[in-house]
Amino acid sequence: MQNQYRVFSASHIGQRNENQDAFAVLTHSKCDELLCVVADGMGGHEGGAFAAKKVVETCKVKWEESESVIDPDTFLNELAFCAHEAVIDSGNAKFDQAQSLVSVLYIHLEKSIYVSMHVGDCRTIQFANKNFIKRTIDQSLAQLHALKGDISDDEIASHPDQNKIYSSIGGSEPPSPIIEHYSPDGDTFLICSDGFWELFNQHALGVAIEKIESAEALEELIEQQVSGKTHHDNTTAIIVKLPPSEDSSSMFVPPSLAAGHQESEVEGSLRTEGALPAESALSAESSTSSNDKNTSTKLTTYHYKFLLGLGSIIFVIALTYYFLSSTDSTHDLPEPLPTSGKTSPSKQSSEQPSGQAPDQKPEQTSEQDKTTSSEPQGKSSKEAIGTQASTGESGNIETRRQTPNIPILNIDDAIEKTEDVIRQKGGLGENDTLKVTTRGNAIGNSQVIKFQQFYKDLPVYGAQTITLVRDGKIANIDSKTLNDIDIDISPALSAKEAVILAENEIGTRLNVLEAPQLIIFKKEDSYLLIWRAEVEKASGERVMLFLDSTNALIVEEISLHISGGQEEISFEDIASEDEASENEKD
């Protein structure tokens, strides 16, 4: 029997009212190209299922139009933007907010070319003998936390910001597709929605995928992991297993040729029935049906360098929201937790459109659940956090996007050149400087640097910059800076006086948890000198107050949702802090 590559796919509704996932496995009649697509309709937005189906349909049309993919990067980028246009041009007002997330893997079998494109948090993951090699980088706030080093990779699934997505197909803003290249060193690819990868930690996922040798086995794995959960999302996965690299004798015979068709397709969307298409092993002797999911190929050796394509604007749309999380180099402002309690429906296995989900749910969880990541109970529906999602102060600071591709010697050189670029473009005034607040973890050939703008040594709230360094160059600069600040930085009220007056305004005692900090705050078209104070009210609620240093009026109040662990700071401490600040200025 000839060695052959195999493809297994499954989709499950989970504990949702509707399966908003769609998927497809497409081949070309030339026998050496494969396209795997998984699209995830954004839950909580009417038309999520419609958007996902449109994405898959667009991929199918573009695939049929191309006899062969000459430039995978260009082709995959075009897929993203064509799918976006197809969703927003539906002509149905009901689907104005329809959005989808997607991951697409292109394989050129004979040349051993493996390239993926993704938008959002659907993933393509590469393994070798159950060992993780590489995966796509999610376009979510939780992924940003991981890149900063605040959480581990396995904690992304249960983080409250996992549902906050800053790039999607459809919606008011165009997508920011990210292209990834993979080496031929792996033997297995997984293309899946977040409902699948959230079920496993990284090690458990590789172990589980290695054991899958049929579509039925994949279906059973999903059912086993989803059973017993109460809020789990739609779950879709495509597994591509390649033959051993030393084998070069097997020839690819797609089911389409065996059946006399020009194209083989396995497509999943919505279905009421829980049955999955059976896996079949295809070869020159055994490929007889166009409905089979599995195909075979020979594998040759052709090396691509390991490249992490974060994309030139991976962080841009997220910045407007995410910049609220910190305002200077020594203190990060905690982000308000999501308030939405909505959950989106889950997925079920199928190839054809479906209606209602099955009512019965398995009651027992498997032993394997013990090795998986914990389920985020009550997880909110996917939320797009584009530029319109910002509040007040940061919404008044425009994001400027630059892709200078400036060669650098090292990270310190990148830091210096970032400020030079922004200043040359008129993004900083003569009294403004940038200070590094975070040097992100180096991932592959990429590293992120985060800056805070200071005006006369006072931090400017929300005025931050993200620089992406990739392959020895400054690949991207997303800056939110101001160049027209002109304000007296001597406060009329001390921090102590401002807090006392604020207490009178609120009518309750305020326990100061951290020494208030003086900052520059943009309010509409004017600049204010603000005392930022983290306090606890008599009710126990902890908030961040932004007090006008001229009259102690509360300009902004943000709930912190922090439990215990901080001591009250006395007014004597505040007075000492004020005195120290004055001495520094002198």
Side-chain angles (χ1 to χ4, degrees):
M1 188 69 157
Q2 294 172 328
N3 288 323
Q4 51 212 285
Y5 87 86
R6 294 147 293 155
V7 181
F8 315 116
S9 56
S11 186
H12 193 286
I13 194 170
Q15 286 82 37
R16 299 298 194 238
N17 299 321
E18 180 185 24
N19 191 335
Q20 295 194 343
D21 280 1
F23 68 92
V25 178
L26 307 171
T27 63
H28 267 149
S29 58
K30 287 192 174 182
C31 312
D32 56 3
E33 293 177 288
L34 178 71
L35 193 75
C36 300
V37 185
V38 171
D40 180 359
M42 287 186 69
H45 298 269
E46 186 171 13
F50 163 82
K53 187 176 181 180
K54 273 289 184 183
V55 170
V56 171
E57 289 177 352
T58 301
C59 291
K60 178 181 176 181
V61 170
K62 299 298 292 183
W63 184 255
E64 291 174 341
E65 290 176 351
S66 63
E67 293 184 0
S68 181
V69 176
I70 299 174
D71 182 349
D73 292 37
T74 300
F75 175 77
L76 293 173
N77 267 306
E78 288 179 355
L79 280 186
F81 290 102
C82 289
H84 177 73
E85 292 176 4
V87 172
I88 63 177
D89 291 343
S90 66
N92 189 336
K94 180 181 179 181
F95 299 137
D96 281 348
Q97 297 301 315
Q99 297 176 64
S100 177
L101 315 172
V102 67
S103 191
V104 181
L105 175 65
Y106 166 79
I107 297 177
H108 194 299
L109 302 162
E110 186 175 359
K111 295 181 180 179
S112 298
I113 295 176
Y114 312 101
V115 187
S116 74
M117 177 276 292
H118 78 284
V119 175
D121 62 356
C122 289
R123 290 182 179 178
T124 292
I125 310 174
Q126 185 184 31
F127 299 92
N129 297 322
K130 77 183 177 184
N131 296 315
F132 170 84
I133 295 182
K134 183 179 180 180
R135 73 164 174 86
T136 51
I137 301 299
D138 307 334
Q139 293 175 310
S140 71
L141 289 194
Q143 178 70 80
L144 297 185
H145 291 306
L147 288 171
K148 286 178 61 182
D150 296 337
I151 62 174
S152 70
D153 201 60
D154 285 335
E155 291 174 316
I156 292 176
S158 58
H159 195 279
D161 284 343
Q162 169 55 20
N163 69 313
K164 295 181 174 65
I165 305 297
Y166 56 86
S167 185
S168 63
I169 303 291
S172 58
E173 298 182 1
S176 303
I178 300 176
I179 303 296
E180 301 276 8
H181 291 255
Y182 304 83
S183 76
D185 297 333
D187 56 16
T188 302
F189 282 97
L190 169 67
I191 309 93
C192 64
S193 62
D194 66 321
F196 188 82
W197 60 258
E198 284 180 354
L199 292 168
F200 306 86
N201 62 46
Q202 189 165 282
H203 173 72
L205 181 58
V207 173
I209 293 303
E210 185 189 34
K211 297 178 181 178
I212 300 301
E213 292 296 336
S214 70
E216 289 85 356
L218 179 57
E219 179 187 20
E220 290 173 4
L221 174 65
I222 296 174
E223 183 68 37
Q224 185 182 62
Q225 296 300 312
V226 171
S227 65
K229 298 185 183 298
T230 57
H231 300 286
H232 198 69
D233 198 5
N234 306 153
T235 304
T236 299
I238 300 172
I239 298 173
V240 181
K241 294 200 170 187
L242 303 173
S245 59
E246 64 270 17
D247 174 71
S248 60
S249 61
S250 61
M251 295 299 294
F252 169 69
V253 181
S256 55
L257 291 186
H261 297 289
Q262 293 185 350
E263 174 187 270
S264 171
E265 175 190 54
V266 178
E267 180 176 348
S269 179
L270 313 174
R271 196 172 78 172
T272 303
E273 302 300 326
L276 285 169
E279 173 267 342
S280 61
L282 297 174
S283 68
E285 294 90 4
S286 63
S287 57
T288 58
S289 170
S290 62
N291 292 325
D292 290 338
K293 288 179 183 256
N294 308 312
T295 49
S296 60
T297 184
K298 64 180 180 179
L299 183 67
T300 60
T301 303
Y302 181 80
H303 284 83
Y304 259 81
K305 78 176 178 180
F306 183 84
L307 172 65
L308 180 67
L310 289 177
S312 62
I313 51 177
I314 181 174
F315 293 106
V316 175
I317 304 176
L319 295 182
T320 306
Y321 181 92
Y322 190 64
F323 278 167
L324 296 178
S325 66
S326 63
T327 59
D328 60 68
S329 59
T330 60
H331 178 73
D332 282 341
L333 174 63
E335 302 172 10
L337 295 177
T339 57
S340 171
K342 294 188 297 181
T343 56
S344 58
S346 301
K347 309 174 179 90
Q348 84 188 81
S349 59
S350 68
E351 288 183 309
Q352 303 299 327
S354 76
Q356 296 297 320
D359 294 328
Q360 296 183 347
K361 304 283 191 305
E363 297 179 356
Q364 302 297 323
T365 57
S366 67
E367 285 297 317
Q368 194 168 359
D369 273 337
K370 297 178 182 178
T371 65
T372 63
S373 56
S374 59
E375 176 194 13
Q377 295 293 327
K379 179 181 174 182
S380 300
S381 301
K382 291 289 174 62
E383 175 186 349
I385 54 165
T387 54
Q388 297 179 355
S390 63
T391 60
E393 68 288 352
S394 71
N396 286 335
I397 305 178
E398 178 186 0
T399 298
R400 288 178 296 278
R401 309 173 182 180
Q402 302 176 55
T403 54
N405 285 320
I406 299 175
I408 58 168
L409 300 175
N410 48 43
I411 292 299
D412 290 333
D413 190 30
I415 292 170
E416 181 178 341
K417 288 181 177 178
T418 294
E419 181 166 339
D420 290 342
V421 169
I422 295 176
R423 197 174 294 280
Q424 290 171 9
K425 297 293 184 179
L428 292 171
E430 62 177 303
N431 293 314
D432 301 311
T433 57
L434 291 183
K435 295 183 181 181
V436 176
T437 59
T438 303
R439 294 193 187 198
N441 299 331
I443 301 180
N445 297 322
S446 301
Q447 188 168 353
V448 173
I449 312 168
K450 186 176 180 180
F451 302 82
Q452 171 72 48
Q453 179 182 354
F454 283 74
Y455 172 79
K456 295 182 178 179
D457 291 329
L458 291 184
V460 182
Y461 186 67
Q464 299 186 25
T465 293
I466 294 267
T467 292
L468 172 63
V469 175
R470 183 171 58 212
D471 294 333
K473 295 180 180 180
I474 297 178
N476 191 66
I477 299 176
D478 300 319
S479 59
K480 293 171 69 71
T481 57
L482 301 163
N483 62 4
D484 60 347
I485 304 174
D486 185 11
I487 186 174
D488 183 359
I489 61 171
S490 301
L493 297 172
S494 68
K496 175 181 177 180
E497 292 169 334
V499 171
I500 292 174
L501 290 174
E503 284 183 329
N504 295 333
E505 179 185 348
I506 298 175
T508 183
R509 175 169 170 72
L510 299 175
N511 296 330
V512 180
L513 303 176
E514 291 189 4
Q517 183 187 28
L518 201 59
I519 64 173
I520 308 296
F521 190 99
K522 184 177 184 181
K523 187 69 174 179
E524 297 177 348
D525 294 327
S526 61
Y527 296 104
L528 304 176
L529 193 61
I530 295 291
W531 284 110
R532 188 189 69 181
E534 186 175 330
V535 303
E536 182 179 61
K537 297 181 180 179
S539 63
E541 180 187 8
R542 298 190 176 196
V543 299
M544 187 71 74
L545 293 180
F546 295 79
L547 307 176
D548 193 323
S549 65
T550 61
N551 53 26
L553 291 178
I554 299 175
V555 177
E556 187 83 11
E557 178 177 332
I558 298 177
S559 180
L560 298 180
H561 300 281
I562 296 178
S563 59
Q566 289 176 281
E567 298 180 357
E568 176 182 352
I569 296 178
S570 68
F571 281 127
E572 288 73 18
D573 294 329
I574 297 177
S576 299
E577 189 73 22
D578 290 342
E579 184 178 353
S581 298
E582 290 299 323
N583 291 336
E584 288 179 3
K585 292 176 186 176
D586 294 339

